[in-house]
Amino acid sequence: MTDEVLNDISHRRYNPLRGSWILVSPHRTKRPWQGQQEDPSQTTTPEYDEQCYLCPGNKRAQGDQNPQYDNTFVFVNDYSAVKEEQQDYKPAHVPGSLGSRLLQVDPVKGKCYVLTFSRKHNLTLADLTSEQTRPVIEAWTKIYTAHISPKTSLAHHAHATSLMPHAHGFNPELPTPQYRYMQIFENKGQLMGCSNPHPHGQIWTTSSLPEEINLELTNLKKYRHDHHGAHMLEDYALLEQEEGERIVYENPAFLALCPWWATWPFEVMIVSKTHKRALVDFDEEEQQYLAQAISEVTRRYDNLFQTHFPYSMGLHQAPLDGTEEEIEASHFHIHFAPPLLRSASVKKFLVGYELMAEPQRDITPEQAAKRLREDCGGELYRRKM
């Protein structure tokens, strides 16, 4: 259990996943709050919007028409952040020159997808049951599987699959180059830059290993090397089960918890209790348990301030292509990074000291977990309105 004194003194906590520190200032939560208090927000978005480029049957920005899909639908992003085809580039700097040291460039190719979570325009993951969330996880798994390098052990473990749109008569060709990583994520709410309220996420595949993933993978590999093959997040899940105070929800396969090192006020991580490298390692029962964990977290978020709780959520798992050491050191987990602090309108900003020195938080992860665990369970608040 966390020492009681840490609820009253400023201190730093170490994040072993990133190899970084965060400043915690719990005494600041004693400041009186006289800010705005909001009434519970209701959903006013229609079930179908004829102007929405993600609703079934509608035309998208580039003129393609969506099929009359039932739950999930995936297509190549009309405005992808990376290109599959582009001019090759090699820096012209002379080896050993200042330019070669300080002005480095790494061209990136890739492919981006959009995945809808439901045909209904006015729902979010918080509104979906775990049974309705399950098709989203199945779609993630199939898309990830379709991009795995055949050289890795992941390919031998995965079921044969093809991209989900085949069922809808839409067949984007699989990328010919072997990409390095696939980042699956969701930005929920305008506050997080989401340009369309229709429930959806994004999937970016890139030829490079993203910076955040590289940081985590470096530390996961080091932990495994230094601790005789042990897996950091498997050990961490065991420790959190023993202590219990940071757990928000758990089932036989997953923990949802506010990490010891969390940066955001109500940051949550879903982590598999046993070592699972990627989506392809889950059987059907474990997929259902994952759907339950996602449903619990998103519903509790909305219940916390009785609003459509904004967040960025991302899956971290094994690279599509990599060394056996990288693949085996990877451990499946999901990060939820929500900005809300005290109410539906009071947000935390990473500014000042946090931007120029190191991240800082007031409410402790233990306090945040207790609120989400004890005060936010049960039925979604807006179903009672």
Side-chain angles (χ1 to χ4, degrees):
M1 299 291 287
T2 303
D3 292 336
E4 185 62 31
V5 68
L6 293 182
N7 289 322
D8 193 53
I9 66 168
S10 54
H11 61 279
R12 298 170 83 209
R13 296 192 182 191
Y14 182 66
N15 180 347
L17 263 179
R18 301 188 77 257
S20 59
W21 291 84
I22 177 172
L23 176 65
V24 184
S25 310
H27 53 284
R28 284 163 55 94
T29 61
K30 297 177 182 179
R31 292 177 300 170
W33 170 246
Q34 297 178 331
Q36 180 178 352
Q37 300 293 328
E38 294 85 7
D39 293 328
S41 63
Q42 300 187 42
T43 298
T44 57
T45 308
E47 186 174 302
Y48 169 78
D49 183 348
E50 62 181 11
Q51 301 299 320
C52 171
Y53 62 83
L54 295 180
C55 279
N58 288 359
K59 284 188 177 181
R60 299 201 305 277
Q62 301 291 343
D64 294 319
Q65 187 165 13
N66 298 330
Q68 291 291 341
Y69 63 89
D70 294 323
N71 38 52
T72 60
F73 170 56
V74 62
F75 59 92
V76 177
N77 197 323
D78 295 320
Y79 299 99
S80 294
V82 287
K83 298 179 179 180
E84 289 184 86
E85 298 180 2
Q86 63 184 12
Q87 181 181 349
D88 291 333
Y89 174 78
K90 291 184 179 180
H93 298 305
V94 176
S97 67
L98 287 177
S100 66
R101 295 183 213 166
L102 303 176
L103 306 178
Q104 297 185 38
V105 175
D106 180 22
V108 178
K109 293 183 180 181
K111 192 168 186 175
C112 300
Y113 300 94
V114 175
L115 174 70
T116 64
F117 299 156
S118 170
R119 66 178 289 112
K120 294 185 178 181
H121 185 75
N122 61 343
L123 299 183
T124 68
L125 286 177
D127 295 286
L128 303 182
T129 65
S130 59
E131 289 75 18
Q132 292 170 323
T133 303
R134 174 74 178 275
V136 176
I137 296 170
E138 292 174 345
W140 286 342
T141 304
K142 290 180 179 180
I143 297 170
Y144 177 84
T145 302
H147 292 74
I148 293 173
S149 169
K151 301 176 183 178
T152 69
S153 57
L154 291 170
H156 302 306
H157 191 77
H159 296 290
T161 188
S162 59
L163 289 181
M164 279 295 288
H166 284 212
H168 304 296
F170 178 69
N171 302 305
E173 294 182 0
L174 285 173
T176 51
Q178 176 56 60
Y179 291 127
R180 184 85 160 95
Y181 194 76
M182 174 177 287
Q183 181 58 61
I184 300 171
F185 65 97
E186 178 200 9
N187 293 323
K188 179 189 174 187
Q190 291 184 342
L191 188 61
M192 307 310 293
C194 183
S195 60
N196 189 321
H198 194 109
H200 73 283
Q202 299 187 55
I203 301 169
W204 294 12
T205 58
T206 55
S207 56
S208 59
L209 193 66
E211 186 69 14
E212 198 68 23
I213 307 305
N214 188 46
L215 275 174
E216 288 193 2
L217 198 49
T218 297
N219 286 292
L220 289 170
K221 289 189 296 182
K222 185 178 186 302
Y223 186 94
R224 190 170 182 229
H225 177 269
D226 293 347
H227 299 282
H228 312 289
H231 295 282
M232 179 197 293
L233 290 184
E234 189 173 38
D235 285 352
Y236 181 60
L238 179 62
L239 176 62
E240 289 290 12
Q241 289 175 85
E242 292 174 352
E243 298 208 347
E245 60 183 339
R246 284 175 293 276
I247 294 177
V248 174
Y249 167 82
E250 73 172 302
N251 59 37
F254 293 93
L255 291 178
L257 53 89
C258 295
W260 166 262
W261 53 79
T263 295
W264 298 97
F266 293 94
E267 180 177 331
V268 165
M269 180 170 69
I270 295 176
V271 59
S272 58
K273 291 182 175 180
T274 58
H275 180 234
K276 302 289 183 178
R277 303 164 299 176
L279 287 162
V280 296
D281 286 341
F282 298 130
D283 59 27
E284 292 184 359
E285 184 178 38
E286 289 166 330
Q287 285 185 343
Q288 186 58 41
Y289 283 136
L290 179 57
Q292 291 174 7
I294 292 172
S295 294
E296 283 287 341
V297 170
T298 54
R299 187 175 69 255
R300 288 168 190 267
Y301 271 164
D302 278 20
N303 285 346
L304 178 62
F305 296 130
Q306 296 190 329
T307 190
H308 287 278
F309 202 88
Y311 58 75
S312 279
M313 174 267 283
L315 282 61
H316 284 184
Q317 56 188 326
L320 299 170
D321 189 23
T323 66
E324 197 62 15
E325 180 187 19
E326 289 176 330
I327 301 299
E328 292 305 315
S330 299
H331 189 115
F332 179 90
H333 59 286
I334 302 178
H335 292 286
F336 285 84
L340 296 188
L341 177 59
R342 293 191 184 94
S343 71
S345 64
V346 178
K347 302 173 287 293
K348 174 182 176 62
F349 296 96
L350 290 179
V351 297
Y353 184 90
E354 296 153 296
L355 187 62
M356 300 300 172
E358 69 181 13
Q360 181 271 345
R361 63 178 293 132
D362 294 347
I363 181 175
T364 67
E366 294 78 25
Q367 293 166 340
K370 183 177 181 180
R371 290 188 63 180
L372 289 171
R373 181 178 62 248
E374 298 181 3
D375 302 339
C376 303
E379 187 178 11
L380 186 64
Y381 78 91
R382 51 183 168 268
R383 291 178 183 162
K384 305 174 185 178
M385 297 176 66

